[in-house]
Short mmCIF file of all heavy atoms in Angstrom, two decimals:
data_model
loop_
_atom_site.label_atom_id
_atom_site.label_comp_id
_atom_site.label_asym_id
_atom_site.label_seq_id
_atom_site.Cartn_x
_atom_site.Cartn_y
_atom_site.Cartn_z
N VAL A 525 -3.20 55.03 22.72
CA VAL A 525 -3.08 53.67 22.21
C VAL A 525 -1.67 53.52 21.64
O VAL A 525 -1.34 54.10 20.60
CB VAL A 525 -4.14 53.38 21.13
CG1 VAL A 525 -3.95 51.98 20.56
CG2 VAL A 525 -5.53 53.55 21.69
N LYS A 526 -0.85 52.75 22.35
CA LYS A 526 0.55 52.59 21.95
C LYS A 526 0.68 51.67 20.74
O LYS A 526 1.47 51.93 19.82
CB LYS A 526 1.34 52.02 23.12
CG LYS A 526 2.82 51.85 22.88
CD LYS A 526 3.50 51.33 24.14
CE LYS A 526 5.00 51.16 23.92
NZ LYS A 526 5.67 50.67 25.16
N THR A 527 -0.08 50.59 20.76
CA THR A 527 -0.10 49.66 19.63
C THR A 527 -1.34 48.79 19.75
O THR A 527 -2.10 48.91 20.72
CB THR A 527 1.17 48.78 19.60
OG1 THR A 527 1.21 48.04 18.38
CG2 THR A 527 1.21 47.81 20.77
N ALA A 528 -1.55 47.93 18.77
CA ALA A 528 -2.70 47.03 18.79
C ALA A 528 -2.28 45.69 18.20
O ALA A 528 -1.58 45.65 17.19
CB ALA A 528 -3.86 47.62 17.98
N VAL A 529 -2.71 44.60 18.85
CA VAL A 529 -2.39 43.25 18.36
C VAL A 529 -3.67 42.42 18.33
O VAL A 529 -4.64 42.74 19.03
CB VAL A 529 -1.34 42.54 19.26
CG1 VAL A 529 -0.03 43.29 19.24
CG2 VAL A 529 -1.86 42.39 20.69
N SER A 530 -3.66 41.39 17.53
CA SER A 530 -4.81 40.49 17.45
C SER A 530 -4.63 39.31 18.40
O SER A 530 -3.50 38.90 18.68
CB SER A 530 -4.98 39.95 16.03
OG SER A 530 -5.33 40.97 15.14
N LEU A 531 -5.74 38.76 18.89
CA LEU A 531 -5.67 37.48 19.58
C LEU A 531 -5.18 36.43 18.59
O LEU A 531 -5.34 36.58 17.37
CB LEU A 531 -7.05 37.08 20.10
CG LEU A 531 -7.66 37.92 21.22
CD1 LEU A 531 -8.99 37.32 21.67
CD2 LEU A 531 -6.72 38.04 22.40
N PRO A 532 -4.55 35.36 19.07
CA PRO A 532 -4.05 34.33 18.14
C PRO A 532 -5.10 33.80 17.18
O PRO A 532 -4.78 33.46 16.04
CB PRO A 532 -3.56 33.22 19.09
CG PRO A 532 -3.19 33.95 20.35
CD PRO A 532 -4.18 35.07 20.47
N ASN A 533 -6.36 33.76 17.62
CA ASN A 533 -7.42 33.26 16.72
C ASN A 533 -8.01 34.35 15.84
O ASN A 533 -8.91 34.09 15.04
CB ASN A 533 -8.53 32.58 17.53
CG ASN A 533 -9.23 33.54 18.50
OD1 ASN A 533 -9.00 34.75 18.48
ND2 ASN A 533 -10.07 33.00 19.36
N GLY A 534 -7.51 35.59 15.98
CA GLY A 534 -7.96 36.70 15.14
C GLY A 534 -9.34 37.23 15.48
O GLY A 534 -9.88 38.07 14.75
N LYS A 535 -9.93 36.80 16.60
CA LYS A 535 -11.32 37.16 16.90
C LYS A 535 -11.46 38.51 17.61
O LYS A 535 -12.56 39.02 17.77
CB LYS A 535 -11.96 36.07 17.78
CG LYS A 535 -12.08 34.71 17.10
CD LYS A 535 -13.08 34.74 15.95
CE LYS A 535 -13.23 33.38 15.28
NZ LYS A 535 -13.82 32.37 16.14
N ALA A 536 -10.35 39.11 18.06
CA ALA A 536 -10.44 40.40 18.77
C ALA A 536 -9.14 41.17 18.62
O ALA A 536 -8.07 40.58 18.40
CB ALA A 536 -10.76 40.18 20.25
N THR A 537 -9.23 42.50 18.72
CA THR A 537 -8.06 43.38 18.70
C THR A 537 -7.80 43.87 20.12
O THR A 537 -8.71 44.38 20.79
CB THR A 537 -8.29 44.59 17.78
OG1 THR A 537 -8.50 44.12 16.44
CG2 THR A 537 -7.09 45.53 17.80
N VAL A 538 -6.56 43.70 20.58
CA VAL A 538 -6.17 44.10 21.93
C VAL A 538 -5.38 45.39 21.85
O VAL A 538 -4.37 45.47 21.14
CB VAL A 538 -5.32 43.00 22.60
CG1 VAL A 538 -4.89 43.42 24.00
CG2 VAL A 538 -6.09 41.68 22.65
N LEU A 539 -5.83 46.41 22.57
CA LEU A 539 -5.18 47.71 22.57
C LEU A 539 -4.24 47.84 23.77
O LEU A 539 -4.61 47.48 24.89
CB LEU A 539 -6.22 48.83 22.63
CG LEU A 539 -7.33 48.81 21.57
CD1 LEU A 539 -8.27 49.99 21.77
CD2 LEU A 539 -6.74 48.81 20.17
N HIS A 540 -3.04 48.33 23.52
CA HIS A 540 -2.08 48.60 24.60
C HIS A 540 -2.20 50.08 24.96
O HIS A 540 -1.84 50.96 24.17
CB HIS A 540 -0.66 48.27 24.13
CG HIS A 540 0.38 48.41 25.19
ND1 HIS A 540 1.61 47.82 25.11
CD2 HIS A 540 0.38 49.08 26.38
CE1 HIS A 540 2.32 48.12 26.18
NE2 HIS A 540 1.59 48.90 26.96
N LEU A 541 -2.75 50.36 26.16
CA LEU A 541 -3.01 51.74 26.60
C LEU A 541 -1.93 52.19 27.57
O LEU A 541 -1.68 51.53 28.59
CB LEU A 541 -4.38 51.84 27.27
CG LEU A 541 -5.58 51.31 26.47
CD1 LEU A 541 -6.85 51.44 27.29
CD2 LEU A 541 -5.71 52.04 25.15
N THR A 542 -1.27 53.30 27.28
CA THR A 542 -0.24 53.81 28.18
C THR A 542 -0.88 54.57 29.33
O THR A 542 -1.83 55.33 29.16
CB THR A 542 0.73 54.74 27.43
OG1 THR A 542 0.00 55.83 26.87
CG2 THR A 542 1.45 54.01 26.31
N GLY A 543 -0.35 54.32 30.53
CA GLY A 543 -0.79 55.05 31.72
C GLY A 543 -2.18 54.69 32.20
O GLY A 543 -2.76 55.41 33.03
N ALA A 544 -2.73 53.58 31.74
CA ALA A 544 -4.10 53.23 32.14
C ALA A 544 -4.13 52.28 33.33
O ALA A 544 -5.21 51.91 33.80
CB ALA A 544 -4.84 52.60 30.97
N GLY A 545 -2.95 51.85 33.82
CA GLY A 545 -2.91 51.00 35.00
C GLY A 545 -3.51 51.72 36.20
O GLY A 545 -3.36 52.94 36.37
N GLY A 546 -4.22 50.97 37.03
CA GLY A 546 -4.87 51.58 38.19
C GLY A 546 -6.18 52.26 37.87
O GLY A 546 -6.79 52.88 38.73
N ARG A 547 -6.62 52.18 36.61
CA ARG A 547 -7.86 52.85 36.19
C ARG A 547 -8.96 51.82 35.92
O ARG A 547 -9.81 52.03 35.07
CB ARG A 547 -7.60 53.66 34.92
CG ARG A 547 -6.46 54.66 35.05
CD ARG A 547 -6.79 55.77 36.00
NE ARG A 547 -5.68 56.70 36.15
CZ ARG A 547 -5.70 57.77 36.95
NH1 ARG A 547 -6.79 58.02 37.68
NH2 ARG A 547 -4.65 58.56 37.04
N HIS A 548 -8.89 50.72 36.63
CA HIS A 548 -9.83 49.63 36.38
C HIS A 548 -11.28 50.09 36.47
O HIS A 548 -12.15 49.65 35.71
CB HIS A 548 -9.58 48.49 37.37
CG HIS A 548 -9.86 47.14 36.80
ND1 HIS A 548 -11.13 46.71 36.50
CD2 HIS A 548 -9.02 46.12 36.43
CE1 HIS A 548 -11.08 45.49 36.00
NE2 HIS A 548 -9.81 45.10 35.94
N ALA A 549 -11.55 51.02 37.37
CA ALA A 549 -12.93 51.48 37.56
C ALA A 549 -13.48 52.19 36.33
O ALA A 549 -14.70 52.24 36.13
CB ALA A 549 -13.00 52.42 38.76
N LEU A 550 -12.58 52.74 35.50
CA LEU A 550 -13.03 53.45 34.30
C LEU A 550 -13.33 52.49 33.15
O LEU A 550 -13.89 52.91 32.14
CB LEU A 550 -11.95 54.45 33.85
CG LEU A 550 -11.64 55.62 34.81
CD1 LEU A 550 -10.51 56.46 34.24
CD2 LEU A 550 -12.88 56.47 35.03
N PHE A 551 -12.90 51.24 33.29
CA PHE A 551 -13.01 50.32 32.17
C PHE A 551 -13.83 49.07 32.52
O PHE A 551 -13.48 47.96 32.15
CB PHE A 551 -11.60 49.90 31.69
CG PHE A 551 -10.86 50.99 30.98
CD1 PHE A 551 -10.01 51.84 31.68
CD2 PHE A 551 -11.01 51.19 29.62
CE1 PHE A 551 -9.32 52.85 31.04
CE2 PHE A 551 -10.32 52.20 28.97
CZ PHE A 551 -9.48 53.04 29.67
N ASP A 552 -14.90 49.27 33.25
CA ASP A 552 -15.79 48.15 33.54
C ASP A 552 -16.36 47.60 32.23
O ASP A 552 -16.56 48.33 31.26
CB ASP A 552 -16.95 48.60 34.43
CG ASP A 552 -16.49 48.90 35.85
OD1 ASP A 552 -15.44 48.37 36.25
OD2 ASP A 552 -17.17 49.69 36.54
N ALA A 553 -16.63 46.30 32.21
CA ALA A 553 -17.23 45.69 31.02
C ALA A 553 -18.53 46.41 30.68
O ALA A 553 -19.38 46.63 31.55
CB ALA A 553 -17.49 44.21 31.27
N GLY A 554 -18.66 46.81 29.42
CA GLY A 554 -19.84 47.53 28.98
C GLY A 554 -19.70 49.04 29.04
O GLY A 554 -20.56 49.76 28.52
N GLN A 555 -18.63 49.55 29.67
CA GLN A 555 -18.41 50.99 29.75
C GLN A 555 -18.25 51.57 28.34
O GLN A 555 -17.51 51.05 27.51
CB GLN A 555 -17.15 51.29 30.57
CG GLN A 555 -16.67 52.73 30.52
CD GLN A 555 -17.62 53.70 31.20
OE1 GLN A 555 -18.12 53.40 32.28
NE2 GLN A 555 -17.89 54.82 30.58
N GLU A 556 -18.94 52.67 28.07
CA GLU A 556 -18.84 53.31 26.76
C GLU A 556 -17.58 54.16 26.67
O GLU A 556 -17.27 54.92 27.60
CB GLU A 556 -20.08 54.18 26.51
CG GLU A 556 -20.18 54.67 25.07
CD GLU A 556 -21.50 55.36 24.79
OE1 GLU A 556 -22.50 54.65 24.51
OE2 GLU A 556 -21.55 56.61 24.88
N VAL A 557 -16.86 54.01 25.56
CA VAL A 557 -15.62 54.77 25.33
C VAL A 557 -15.63 55.26 23.89
O VAL A 557 -16.44 54.83 23.06
CB VAL A 557 -14.37 53.91 25.58
CG1 VAL A 557 -14.29 53.44 27.02
CG2 VAL A 557 -14.32 52.72 24.61
N THR A 558 -14.70 56.16 23.59
CA THR A 558 -14.53 56.67 22.22
C THR A 558 -13.12 56.34 21.75
O THR A 558 -12.14 56.69 22.40
CB THR A 558 -14.75 58.18 22.15
OG1 THR A 558 -16.07 58.49 22.61
CG2 THR A 558 -14.58 58.68 20.72
N GLY A 559 -13.02 55.64 20.62
CA GLY A 559 -11.73 55.32 20.03
C GLY A 559 -11.43 56.27 18.88
O GLY A 559 -12.23 56.38 17.94
N THR A 560 -10.32 56.99 18.98
CA THR A 560 -9.93 57.97 17.96
C THR A 560 -8.62 57.55 17.31
O THR A 560 -7.60 57.43 17.99
CB THR A 560 -9.77 59.38 18.57
OG1 THR A 560 -10.99 59.74 19.25
CG2 THR A 560 -9.44 60.40 17.50
#
Side-chain angles (χ1 to χ4, degrees):
V525 177
K526 182 178 181 179
T527 189
V529 297
S530 294
L531 292 184
N533 62 8
K535 296 293 182 66
T537 299
V538 179
L539 306 180
H540 185 160
L541 307 178
T542 59
R547 305 292 179 181
H548 213 291
L550 296 177
F551 288 92
D552 289 337
Q555 169 67 43
E556 191 172 277
V557 298
T558 302
T560 304

